[in-house]
């Protein structure tokens, strides 16, 4: 009988199902070995361990943290992380049955070391083991010598252990295939041996080296010599300080990522490190918080056309910010905040960096106007130009054309003009911070189009008019600061009817009228500051339903009547100021200062 037209597809499907079952089932000896691992390393009192589910079914390749080869069905990945609590010692022979093992993850297990004569050298026969993750344990320096036989390793993670003092580079001699090494979050002070990693075959394939959050100091960088394949180098949060020419970096010609932030590499011997002048492939550079001085390195942008992220935060860079003479299409994040740059923001910045998503130039001395070309940055997400000397109007193009903008921070400048924006297309805007300027006019109704607005701060300006009713209906608004303006009129009824507002600052305006209907439904309030206005009438009892309230400031108004006992419901209240009003009667005992650290200010007559 001949095969019908369905026979071959059906046969193929059966073969695929059988292969799938084989992969899920894994070999019996490996299933038994996995259960032995569970018995040996899982703390039975640690109910959060994912290994507790091992053995619930026979298909061990489907167990959490276990994967098998699609062809052979043998286990090639074991992730036994987060399995134990309290220091203990590992017997690595538990993993010898897994001849196809490629990846072994034992991170976050409180492992203090290995059982005597049962260390990682026993795994040298696992010649397919390429990735070993021992991060977030309690290994000390002795772990390094036990790794010498793992010649096939490409990825080694030892971050967050107890490595300390001096590390001998000879411990890495046999790891000639290593491409990634993470030793961050330890207490390493230096690497010893006279030649560093310059010996033939010693980490000459290493591309990623993370030594961040250690105690490495200047003068201890000679180990970098010979790492000619290095592309990613993290040395942030160490103890590098003093003037350095960093000649040890000269051989690192292939760097694409360099992190040196949170050190004190003051002045770089009055110039930027020499090796950076010759880098052409950098993608990421962070030299923040290292007390660096000198001119802003415009050449860094000019020479590295592939650069995607540049951070030079909190240094003492001065001079002008000059653009490269080409369109830097790759740059996506630029943060040069907290420096002393005193030029104008280049007019063509938007055309030069069209793909910029994050721009922070805050806390410098930039003057002049805000370039309208910023609106050409079609993917701009955050822009912070605060705490400079910028003047002129806010370009209307910013609120009409920067459609992807989520954060616009222009506070503490000398900006003028009105907020009478005809259109407001910032559909994704969550933070609009314009405080500390000289803006005039009213709060435009066009702002109500910002359906995702969470923080609105226009304090310390010269705004006039009334508080618009639409503010109370913005379903996402949490933070509102319109204090220290010239706003007048009464608060709209149901002022925060959306129920989302947590922080409200309206102090030092010319607001008046009753508060009785203003705060119904304000369930989420944490801080309410209405001080230094002309509000009259009684304190609304509805404020007592704002159970999250911790600061209530009503001082310097024309409020009268008794203090409502409903305020006693505010168990989280830490500061209340009712001074300089026309209140009378007794202070409710629950509001008087006591051991709960409540600060109460009241000038009233008690009858």
């Amino acid at each position: 009988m001949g095969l019908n037209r369905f026979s071959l597809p059906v046969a193929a499907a059966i073969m695929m199902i059988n292969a799938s079952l084989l992969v899920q089932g894994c070999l019996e000896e490996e299933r038994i070995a996995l259960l032995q691992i569970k018995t040996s390393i899982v703390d039975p009192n640690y109910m959060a361990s994912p290994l507790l589910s091992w053995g619930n079914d026979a298909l061990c390749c489907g167990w959490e943290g276990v994967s098998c080869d699609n062809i052979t069905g043998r286990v090639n990945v074991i992730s036994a992380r987060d399995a134990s609590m309290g220091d203990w010692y590992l017997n690595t022979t538990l993993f010898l049955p897994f001849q196809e093992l490629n990846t072994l993850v034992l991170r976050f297990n409180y492992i203090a070391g290995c059982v005597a004569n049962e260390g990682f050298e026993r795994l040298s026969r696992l010649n397919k083991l390429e990735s070993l993750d021992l991060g977030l344990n309690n290994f000390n320096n002795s772990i390094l010598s036990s790794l010498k036989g793992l010649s096939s390793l490409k990825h080694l993670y030892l971050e967050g252990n107890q490595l300390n003092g001096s590390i001998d580079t000879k411990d890495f001699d046999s790891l000639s295939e290593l491409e990634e090494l993470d030793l961050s979050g330890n207490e390493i002070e230096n690497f010893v041996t006279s030649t560093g990693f310059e010996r033939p075959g010693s980490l000459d394939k290493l591309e990623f080296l993370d030594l961040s959050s250690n105690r490495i100091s200047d003068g201890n960088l000679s180990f970098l010599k010979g790492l000619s394949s290095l592309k990613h180098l993290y040395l942030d949060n160490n103890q590098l300080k003093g003037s350095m020419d960093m000649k040890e970096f000269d051989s690192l010609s292939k760097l694409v990522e360099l992190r040196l932030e949170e050190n004190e590499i003051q002045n770089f011997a009055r110039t930027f490190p020499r090796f950076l002048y010759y880098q052409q492939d950098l993608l990421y550079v962070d030299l923040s918080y290292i007390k660096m001085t000198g001119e802003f390195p415009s050449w860094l942008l000019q020479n590295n056309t592939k650069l995607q992220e540049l951070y030079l935060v909190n240094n003492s860079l001065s001079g002008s910010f000059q653009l490269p003479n080409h369109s830097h299409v790759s740059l996506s994040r630029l943060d040069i905040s907290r420096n002393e740059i005193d030029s104008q923001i280049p007019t063509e910045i938007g055309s030069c960096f069209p793909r910029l998503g994050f721009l922070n130039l805050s806390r410098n001395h930039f003057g002049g106007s805000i370039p309208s070309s910023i609106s050409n940055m079609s993917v701009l997400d955050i822009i912070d130009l605060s705490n400079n000397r910028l003047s002129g109007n806010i370009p209307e193009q910013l609120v009409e054309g920067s459609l992807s903008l989520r954060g616009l921070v222009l506070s503490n400048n000398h900006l003028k003009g009105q907020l009478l924006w005809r259109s407001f297309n910032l559909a994704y805007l969550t933070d609009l911070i314009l405080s500390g300027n000289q803006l005039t006019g009213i709060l435009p109704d066009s702002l109500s189009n910002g359906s995702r607005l969470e923080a609105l701060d226009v304090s310390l300006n010269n705004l006039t008019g009334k508080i618009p009713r639409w503010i109370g209906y913005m379903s996402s608004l949490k933070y509102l600061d319109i204090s220290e303006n010239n706003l007048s009129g009464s608060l709209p009824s149901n002022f925060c009817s959306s129920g989302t507002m947590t922080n409200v600052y309206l102090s030092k305006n010319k607001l008046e009228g009753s508060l009785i209907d203003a705060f119904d439904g304000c369930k989420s309030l944490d801080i309410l500051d209405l001080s230094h206005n002309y509000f009259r009438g009684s304190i609304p009892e509805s404020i007592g339903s704002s159970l999250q309230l911790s600061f209530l400031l009503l001082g310097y108004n024309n409020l009268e009547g008794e203090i409502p006992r409903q305020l006693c419901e505010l168990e989280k209240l830490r500061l209340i100021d009712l001074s300089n009003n026309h209140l009378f009667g007794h202070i409710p005992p629950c509001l008087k200062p006591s051991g709960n650290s409540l600060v109460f200010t009241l000038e009233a007559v008690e009858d």
Side-chain angles (χ1 to χ4, degrees):
M1 182 176 177
L3 292 173
N4 61 42
R5 62 191 180 97
F6 298 107
S7 298
L8 289 177
V10 170
I14 293 174
M15 292 175 64
M16 291 177 63
I17 292 173
N18 288 337
S20 175
L21 289 175
L22 174 63
V23 169
Q24 292 180 2
C26 77
L27 301 180
E28 178 64 14
E29 62 268 26
E30 293 189 338
R31 187 184 72 83
I32 294 173
L34 287 170
L35 292 177
Q36 181 63 36
I37 292 172
K38 172 185 174 181
T39 303
S40 301
I41 74 174
V42 173
D43 185 341
N45 297 317
Y46 186 38
M47 301 306 295
S49 172
L51 273 65
L52 288 174
S53 64
W54 286 12
N56 290 348
D57 58 65
L59 305 178
C60 57
C61 289
W63 293 354
E64 184 172 355
V66 179
S67 296
C68 298
D69 184 87
N70 289 330
I71 298 175
T72 66
R74 298 195 68 118
V75 171
N76 57 10
V77 175
I78 298 177
S79 178
R81 56 171 296 163
D82 202 16
S84 299
M85 300 175 64
D87 286 357
W88 59 285
Y89 291 84
L90 175 69
N91 184 343
T92 65
T93 59
L94 292 168
F95 303 99
L96 285 178
F98 306 99
Q99 295 300 307
E100 299 284 334
L101 193 62
N102 172 271
T103 300
L104 177 58
V105 179
L106 295 170
R107 67 188 292 111
F108 203 20
N109 273 315
Y110 296 91
I111 306 174
C114 295
V115 175
N117 302 316
E118 304 293 349
F120 284 95
E121 66 277 358
R122 297 293 302 275
L123 301 185
S124 59
R125 70 181 70 174
L126 301 183
N127 53 22
K128 294 188 177 181
L129 185 62
E130 295 185 351
S131 182
L132 179 60
D133 189 345
L134 304 177
L136 300 171
N137 282 291
N138 294 322
F139 289 108
N140 59 29
N141 294 25
S142 63
I143 184 63
L144 298 176
S145 59
S146 75
L147 299 173
K148 290 181 178 179
L150 305 183
S151 57
S152 60
L153 273 188
K154 293 183 178 180
H155 311 277
L156 175 59
Y157 308 95
L158 280 166
E159 78 277 13
N161 278 279
Q162 296 183 11
L163 305 179
N164 62 69
S166 298
I167 302 295
D168 195 330
T169 59
K170 291 181 180 179
D171 288 334
F172 299 93
D173 279 356
S174 64
L175 304 181
S176 58
E177 299 298 317
L178 207 61
E179 298 174 0
E180 184 175 8
L181 176 59
D182 189 345
L183 299 174
S184 62
N186 285 283
E187 297 182 0
I188 300 171
E189 297 177 5
N190 63 356
F191 291 80
V192 296
T193 64
S194 57
T195 55
F197 293 115
E198 291 183 294
R199 294 178 305 282
S202 178
L203 297 188
D204 57 2
K205 294 183 180 179
L206 194 68
E207 297 183 356
F208 180 100
L209 177 60
D210 189 348
L211 299 174
S212 61
S213 300
N214 277 285
R215 296 183 177 180
I216 301 172
S217 60
D218 51 314
N220 292 328
L221 297 177
S222 59
F223 63 91
L224 292 174
K225 296 178 181 178
L227 298 182
S228 57
S229 297
L230 203 61
K231 295 181 178 180
H232 306 266
L233 176 59
Y234 295 1
L235 278 167
D236 48 295
N237 195 23
N238 274 282
Q239 297 179 6
L240 302 173
K241 54 187 176 182
S243 296
M244 305 173 60
D245 60 12
M246 304 183 75
K247 59 184 178 181
E248 295 88 354
F249 289 72
D250 287 350
S251 62
L252 308 182
S253 60
K254 297 181 180 179
L255 281 180
V256 299
E257 184 176 15
L258 175 62
R259 301 190 60 155
L260 288 172
E261 69 268 26
E262 299 288 350
N263 283 286
E264 296 185 13
I265 314 175
Q266 188 171 9
N267 210 21
F268 279 128
R270 301 188 180 275
T271 183
F272 262 75
R274 182 182 60 182
F275 78 96
L276 280 175
Y277 284 91
Y278 308 106
Q279 299 292 330
Q280 306 293 325
D281 298 318
L282 288 171
L283 301 178
Y284 181 108
V285 175
D286 194 335
L287 302 175
S288 303
Y289 298 92
I290 59 175
K291 299 184 178 181
M292 182 168 47
T293 61
E295 295 277 323
F296 175 79
S298 299
W299 51 266
L300 194 58
L301 294 169
Q302 178 71 31
N303 293 351
N304 291 275
T305 59
K306 300 176 184 178
L307 194 64
Q308 296 177 2
E309 300 185 38
L310 175 60
Y311 303 92
L312 300 172
V313 182
N314 197 29
N315 287 290
S316 298
L317 298 173
S318 58
S320 61
F321 172 38
Q322 298 179 0
L323 299 177
N325 57 15
H326 49 75
S327 180
H328 208 305
V329 295
S330 300
L331 198 67
S332 62
R333 297 179 69 88
L334 175 64
D335 191 342
I336 56 175
S337 60
R338 297 177 180 269
N339 281 284
E340 299 176 10
I341 303 170
D342 55 10
S343 61
Q344 294 189 1
I345 301 175
T347 304
E348 300 302 320
I349 186 171
S351 302
C352 191
F353 303 135
R355 304 302 299 169
L356 208 63
F358 179 91
L359 175 62
N360 191 349
L361 307 181
S362 66
R363 298 186 182 276
N364 278 282
H365 305 302
F366 284 108
S369 59
I370 299 174
S372 59
S373 70
I374 288 178
S375 62
N376 295 335
M377 300 174 182
S378 59
V379 294
L380 192 62
D381 186 43
I382 302 290
I383 177 172
D384 188 349
L385 307 179
S386 64
N387 295 280
N388 279 289
R389 300 170 181 172
L390 299 171
S391 57
N393 296 337
I394 300 173
E396 195 153 339
Q397 293 91 331
L398 273 181
V399 294
E400 289 182 350
S402 301
L403 303 183
S404 62
L405 204 61
R406 287 192 305 113
L408 176 59
V409 185
L410 305 176
S411 54
N412 298 316
N413 281 287
H414 306 297
L415 300 171
K416 299 180 179 179
Q418 297 188 346
L419 296 183
L420 293 175
W421 296 319
R422 292 187 299 272
S423 61
F424 189 84
N425 295 328
L426 304 184
Y428 297 99
L429 194 72
T430 60
D431 296 84
L432 179 60
I433 313 297
L434 306 175
S435 58
N437 283 287
Q438 301 165 25
L439 302 172
T440 59
I442 64 172
L443 288 169
D445 290 341
S446 58
L447 280 178
S448 63
N449 296 331
S451 60
R452 301 189 185 187
L453 198 62
E454 297 180 4
L456 174 61
D457 186 351
V458 290
S459 61
L460 288 158
N461 280 288
N462 298 314
L463 300 179
T464 56
K466 296 183 178 181
I467 296 177
R469 183 174 297 275
W470 51 259
I471 280 183
Y473 296 97
M474 297 189 72
S475 59
S476 59
L477 192 62
K478 298 177 182 179
Y479 182 101
L480 175 66
D481 191 346
I482 50 180
S483 62
E484 300 195 48
N485 279 284
N486 292 306
L487 298 170
S488 59
S490 59
L491 286 183
S493 57
N494 300 315
F495 173 67
C496 50
S497 58
S498 65
T500 60
M501 278 198 278
T502 60
N503 296 52
V504 174
Y505 304 90
L506 306 180
S507 65
K508 297 184 179 180
N509 279 287
K510 299 177 181 178
L511 300 170
E512 58 184 4
S514 172
L515 299 175
I516 291 299
D517 298 325
F519 293 97
D520 293 342
C522 298
K523 304 293 186 182
S524 301
L525 278 178
D526 177 29
I527 298 176
L528 177 60
D529 186 356
L530 307 180
S531 62
H532 295 272
N533 280 289
Y534 300 98
F535 292 115
R536 63 179 185 274
S538 59
I539 298 174
E541 297 177 356
S542 58
I543 289 182
S545 63
S546 301
L547 300 181
Q548 304 302 315
L549 202 62
S550 60
F551 290 80
L552 176 60
L553 308 176
L554 301 177
Y556 292 86
N557 280 286
N558 296 319
L559 299 172
E560 56 189 12
E562 296 186 345
I563 302 172
R565 297 192 62 84
Q566 284 80 358
L567 297 186
C568 291
E569 302 295 325
L570 304 177
E571 296 181 354
K572 296 185 178 181
L573 200 62
R574 291 294 174 265
L575 175 63
I576 180 170
D577 183 0
L578 306 179
S579 63
N580 292 281
N581 282 285
H582 305 298
L583 302 169
F584 59 83
H586 292 286
I587 301 174
C590 65
L591 295 181
K592 291 183 178 180
S594 61
N596 64 358
S597 72
L598 177 69
V599 177
F600 189 96
T601 305
L602 172 64
E603 296 176 4
V605 178
E606 296 191 21
D607 58 22

